[in-house]
Amino acid sequence: MHLTLSQFNQAYERRFPTCHLIPMFVDSEVLEETESEDGSIHQVQRRCKLDVDAPRLLKRIAGVDYVYFSQENTLNKRERTLHIESHNETFSNRVIIHELCSYSAHPENEDWTCFEQSASLDIKSFFGFESTVEKMAMKQYASSIKKGKEIIEFYLNQLEEEGISHVPRWTPSLDAPSSSSVTTKHVCATPKLLHLELPVTPAVSIPVSTDANKLDADYIKRYLGDLTPLQESCLIRLRQWLQESHKGKIPKDEHILRFLRARDFNMEKAREILCQSLTWRKQHQVDYLLETWTSPQVLNDYYTGGWHHHDKEGRPLYILRLGQMDTKGLVRALGEESLLRHVLSINEEGLRRCEENTKVFGRPISCWTCLVDLEGLNMRHLWRPGVKALLRIIEVVEANYPETLGRLLILRAPRVFPVLWTLVSPFIDENTRKKFLIYAGNDYQGPGGLLDYIDKEVIPDFLGGECMCEVPEGGLVPKSLYRTAEELENEDISLWTETIYQSASVFKGAPHEVVIEIIDASSVITWDFDVCKGDVVFHLYHSKRAPQTPRKDPLVGQHSSSTTPGGNNVQLIDKSWTIGLDYSMVESPLTCKEGESVQGSHVTRWPGFYILQWKFHTMPGSASTNLPRVDDVLASLQVSSHKCKVMYYTEVIGSEDFRGSMTSLESSHSGFSQLSHATSSSNHSQSSSMISR
């Protein structure tokens, strides 16, 4: 179909504010509409609401029902072009979608319209569903291209039915001014809802150099660092915008600059995350945190982190002995909120130290170096509520303290580290990952190691240096300091009410079993359970064939695989099965006492069915009893002490996700690549299993 650009534009505008031909297009509203004084340039900015065709599970995990896109249309009647540019607002920190459509008059036939369309999709992280999101985006994009032509034809036919078969070309009026300056015709009156408070200033424009919009060169060199004219312009304009739109305390240039750098000096994106952060700081009184926050004594005694001199570049140095920290004990004693506040106070202290070091060294120091010692790290640190608290802390810090980490040195990384990295890496910004340097074993002592970044005189004694370090050595938090679930709930901490944990009853002669089907070898099965009552023995078995439907044991009286308030009991291994023939043991039995918390993982060698089993622990002397097996079971069920209870959670990390998260980590040291190979090899032996308490 041949149509002029004027006809096309009239048909295109009829798609708004809603379009019944596009079911996923729910609504749209105009944020801003501008037109040049001579009427040749017409710009419209819209916010579109879409109901994306995504699985219900994915929507629930993401926490959204609708996705919002920003769209800017620029119609140049003089040049006879129409440019449509759109990008996503929802999940912009995880997924970046950018689409550009260009329409122009054909150079040889003005009754024809040329059309070009391009789109890009950059998925940084999306709750582990990156491949799913990519497939859905490609499917919907391909569908929209085909649908677009049908919609245009529909509205063109509608125009013809209304008697509009020709739209004359635009011609300038005789009294129109020659200037192409733009005047605003309409601005949306609900900036709070849209998270926009002023029209977006194009980031590519550079103002004319005047004293009013330039910073002093000495000031830049001393406090800000090297800035290009464009970067300097962005800083000035964002600061001016804050002065005009925000009442109260305006952040320092160094703080504004961090947000600009975090978004590659994109004014719109930097302003959005900075405004959100300023609102967050005000809401939680973060500016006064250092004066009002007093660390509980348990943190002073058992939190294994602290400031320690500075690195070779003058950056403040923070040391965290994560391998010596009892993460579960701290969470149980303090709750997630107190740990978060403590980490925020560390970041606030880091900002203060950067300012002090800037004055001391006479050059800009805007970030710090963090040294993390993983000596002692094991599966105990992968306790699920503890990891959940860590992910929340990472998310808050990433959003409000961008570009404050100059370098992260990870020392003595053990074999369990890849599992931890798999869990937390999707929540870490890609630019931040590039600052990670990982050393396995004692690699940090050689060339390219610690001495390249830290002076020998300040290397801590526990890392082979001569400097005494005041960072606490940690240790286990006494259980007497643990707080009850009710006490934690009173502080809005919901760690102990999570539904991811299931409860199960274990009887003598009636173990509880969970089956996990593995399709891809080299996947990782992880488990986390607490022995709430009694003593149990934990096993892990493998079978090539699927167990039968959970049977109902007449002695137990229940077989449901769903969680019930009183716990459940599911038995999967048939009594006719023979170990070594029908199924095999892939982990050595582990005896767990009442009150113990156990975390572990297993790198699978074969596909098939893996069965996790919790079995009643029989005391050594009970084997000599003369009671028959059935009578023994009946007797045990009548005695409350012969009933055990466990709370458990299991998760499978696919081989592709497990390896992919490791290969995405950038490191210049060969020690880490060896570590990655050792923990993801399909020929890894059973000794790769990691269990801790």
Side-chain angles (χ1 to χ4, degrees):
M1 175 182 292
H2 303 318
L3 64 154
T4 65
L5 185 63
S6 299
Q7 287 176 290
F8 175 87
N9 184 63
Q10 288 228 357
Y12 177 81
E13 287 296 323
R14 295 204 170 198
R15 297 173 56 174
F16 304 98
T18 59
C19 179
H20 69 279
L21 299 175
I22 311 177
M24 64 181 294
F25 187 55
V26 179
D27 194 12
S28 67
E29 56 182 320
V30 175
L31 303 181
E32 180 180 331
E33 186 174 358
T34 60
E35 188 172 85
S36 60
E37 292 186 6
D38 63 356
S40 63
I41 300 177
H42 182 215
Q43 290 183 315
V44 180
Q45 290 185 6
R46 291 185 177 91
R47 190 171 191 247
C48 303
K49 180 179 180 181
L50 307 180
D51 185 8
V52 178
D53 183 19
R56 184 178 179 184
L57 175 62
L58 184 57
K59 288 188 176 182
R60 289 183 61 185
I61 293 176
V64 298
D65 291 323
Y66 301 101
V67 176
Y68 292 90
F69 273 73
S70 293
Q71 184 191 69
E72 181 174 344
N73 302 339
T74 303
L75 175 64
N76 190 323
K77 302 176 183 177
R78 186 186 301 274
E79 301 293 336
R80 304 185 68 199
T81 61
L82 172 64
H83 294 286
I84 304 170
E85 187 172 2
S86 61
H87 65 272
N88 62 304
E89 292 180 9
T90 308
F91 302 122
S92 58
N93 62 328
R94 296 181 179 274
V95 180
I96 299 176
I97 302 174
H98 184 264
E99 183 178 11
L100 180 63
C101 300
S102 298
Y103 300 87
S104 59
H106 194 280
E108 298 178 3
N109 189 335
E110 65 179 17
D111 292 330
W112 292 3
T113 298
C114 299
F115 168 55
E116 293 183 6
Q117 185 174 11
S118 63
S120 64
L121 173 67
D122 183 12
I123 302 179
K124 297 181 177 180
S125 65
F126 204 86
F127 311 98
F129 291 85
E130 289 80 8
S131 60
T132 302
V133 173
E134 182 178 7
K135 291 178 182 178
M136 288 192 304
M138 294 300 295
K139 178 181 178 181
Q140 293 190 353
Y141 182 70
S143 176
S144 65
I145 294 177
K146 180 179 180 181
K147 192 72 174 177
K149 180 181 177 182
E150 299 174 2
I151 295 172
I152 288 297
E153 291 178 348
F154 173 85
Y155 286 117
L156 285 172
N157 293 332
Q158 193 177 76
L159 287 172
E160 290 182 356
E161 292 174 0
E162 296 173 5
I164 305 175
S165 58
H166 175 73
V167 179
R169 286 185 56 177
W170 175 86
T171 55
S173 60
L174 297 177
D175 57 347
S178 58
S179 173
S180 60
S181 59
V182 177
T183 58
T184 300
K185 296 177 63 179
H186 171 73
V187 179
C188 178
T190 56
K192 183 176 180 181
L193 173 64
L194 303 174
H195 304 287
L196 292 171
E197 298 182 294
L198 285 178
V200 178
T201 306
V204 295
S205 62
I206 302 178
V208 180
S209 297
T210 64
D211 293 338
N213 57 28
K214 287 191 65 177
L215 297 175
D216 182 76
D218 292 337
Y219 168 74
I220 294 176
K221 183 178 180 180
R222 176 69 186 272
Y223 295 101
L224 304 180
D226 295 331
L227 295 177
T228 66
L230 175 60
Q231 293 171 346
E232 181 182 346
S233 169
C234 290
L235 173 60
I236 293 173
R237 287 185 287 124
L238 184 52
R239 184 178 61 186
Q240 290 175 342
W241 182 83
L242 289 170
Q243 291 172 343
E244 296 171 358
S245 60
H246 281 63
K247 297 181 180 180
K249 187 177 180 180
I250 302 299
K252 298 179 181 179
D253 287 347
E254 298 94 312
H255 193 68
I256 300 175
L257 200 55
R258 288 188 179 96
F259 286 84
L260 284 167
R261 284 172 173 156
R263 292 298 180 267
D264 297 324
F265 286 87
N266 183 301
M267 278 282 293
E268 179 184 355
K269 294 180 180 179
R271 182 178 64 181
E272 180 181 358
I273 62 174
L274 176 57
C275 290
Q276 292 174 355
S277 180
L278 292 177
T279 301
W280 170 82
R281 294 182 68 89
K282 183 177 180 180
Q283 179 182 357
H284 299 282
Q285 296 292 292
V286 179
D287 289 337
Y288 310 101
L289 188 61
L290 291 180
E291 291 78 18
T292 59
W293 168 250
T294 302
S295 299
Q297 189 60 41
V298 66
L299 275 175
N300 298 332
D301 296 337
Y302 297 99
Y303 190 87
T304 56
W307 294 100
H308 181 78
H309 300 282
H310 56 77
D311 67 5
K312 286 188 174 182
E313 299 179 48
R315 296 169 174 172
L317 175 63
Y318 189 83
I319 295 180
L320 180 65
R321 303 183 67 177
L322 183 60
Q324 305 298 318
M325 186 182 297
D326 181 10
T327 53
K328 178 177 180 178
L330 289 174
V331 174
R332 291 291 299 266
L334 295 170
E336 183 179 324
E337 192 66 29
S338 293
L339 278 177
L340 174 60
R341 291 181 184 177
H342 183 64
V343 173
L344 294 181
S345 70
I346 294 172
N347 281 269
E348 290 296 306
E349 175 68 15
L351 294 176
R352 187 183 66 81
R353 287 175 178 261
C354 286
E355 292 184 10
E356 293 177 353
N357 286 17
T358 296
K359 298 176 183 178
V360 171
F361 292 96
R363 62 177 184 272
I365 296 176
S366 60
C367 53
W368 55 79
T369 294
C370 184
L371 187 155
V372 181
D373 180 24
L374 297 183
E375 176 72 12
L377 185 79
N378 53 48
M379 291 302 296
R380 181 185 74 245
H381 295 85
L382 300 185
W383 180 59
R384 189 69 183 188
V387 173
K388 175 180 176 293
L390 174 62
L391 294 180
R392 183 193 171 200
I393 289 172
I394 290 175
E395 187 174 15
V396 173
V397 171
E398 284 277 321
N400 298 284
Y401 299 92
E403 295 298 315
T404 55
L405 180 65
R407 183 178 294 112
L408 181 67
L409 303 170
I410 299 179
L411 308 185
R412 301 196 281 193
R415 291 168 61 187
V416 70
F417 174 69
V419 180
L420 177 62
W421 178 252
T422 298
L423 296 173
V424 304
S425 60
F427 296 86
I428 301 176
D429 183 77
E430 184 64 29
N431 290 332
T432 304
R433 293 191 207 179
K434 296 177 181 178
K435 302 172 184 178
F436 284 38
L437 297 175
I438 295 93
Y439 303 84
N442 292 320
D443 289 349
Y444 69 93
Q445 297 176 348
L450 203 55
L451 285 175
D452 285 2
Y453 308 103
I454 302 176
D455 290 325
K456 182 178 180 181
E457 294 76 17
V458 300
I459 293 180
D461 52 348
F462 60 86
L463 291 175
E466 300 177 356
C467 186
M468 297 299 294
C469 183
E470 298 181 357
V471 175
E473 295 183 359
L476 295 177
V477 177
K479 290 187 177 181
S480 59
L481 299 179
Y482 285 11
R483 304 173 71 181
T484 65
E486 290 75 18
E487 290 174 326
L488 295 174
E489 287 174 359
N490 290 336
E491 294 186 8
D492 296 327
I493 302 299
S494 59
L495 291 177
W496 317 119
T497 60
E498 290 187 327
T499 57
I500 61 172
Y501 285 90
Q502 300 189 55
S503 62
S505 297
V506 180
F507 302 92
K508 192 172 183 179
H512 178 72
E513 295 160 344
V514 174
V515 64
I516 297 176
E517 183 179 6
I518 296 297
I519 305 299
D520 299 324
S522 298
S523 298
V524 180
I525 300 175
T526 66
W527 55 83
D528 176 3
F529 65 89
D530 288 273
V531 184
C532 304
K533 183 179 181 181
D535 300 341
V536 300
V537 181
F538 177 74
H539 295 84
L540 181 63
Y541 299 101
H542 172 264
S543 174
K544 294 182 179 179
R545 59 185 176 123
Q548 298 298 317
T549 304
R551 70 178 187 275
K552 179 178 180 181
D553 194 304
L555 301 178
V556 179
Q558 54 181 317
H559 66 283
S560 172
S561 60
S562 61
T563 302
T564 59
N568 61 22
N569 181 274
V570 177
Q571 299 173 58
L572 300 167
I573 299 177
D574 194 271
K575 292 181 179 180
S576 63
W577 279 19
T578 302
I579 191 166
L581 180 62
D582 300 290
Y583 67 109
S584 59
M585 184 183 298
V586 293
E587 286 286 349
S588 299
L590 180 68
T591 302
C592 310
K593 301 294 184 179
E594 181 174 323
E596 288 188 350
S597 178
V598 180
Q599 295 82 38
S601 69
H602 177 82
V603 180
T604 62
R605 296 179 60 186
W606 315 281
F609 300 87
Y610 288 78
I611 303 171
L612 288 72
Q613 182 193 76
W614 291 268
K615 192 174 183 179
F616 186 92
H617 177 54
T618 304
M619 299 303 291
S622 63
S624 59
T625 179
N626 294 322
L627 284 174
R629 180 178 182 275
V630 176
D631 293 339
D632 186 31
V633 175
L634 289 172
S636 68
L637 293 176
Q638 296 172 0
V639 183
S640 60
S641 61
H642 288 173
K643 175 183 177 181
C644 302
K645 183 178 180 180
V646 295
M647 297 282 292
Y648 67 94
Y649 174 80
T650 64
E651 186 176 23
V652 177
I653 301 174
S655 59
E656 181 179 356
D657 296 333
F658 182 68
R659 293 182 180 180
S661 66
M662 297 305 302
T663 56
S664 66
L665 180 64
E666 298 187 18
S667 175
S668 59
H669 300 277
S670 60
F672 183 78
S673 61
Q674 296 170 1
L675 171 67
S676 175
H677 174 74
T679 54
S680 61
S681 172
S682 60
N683 296 322
H684 198 37
S685 65
Q686 291 184 15
S687 62
S688 66
S689 172
M690 296 158 283
I691 304 177
S692 64
R693 308 178 198 181

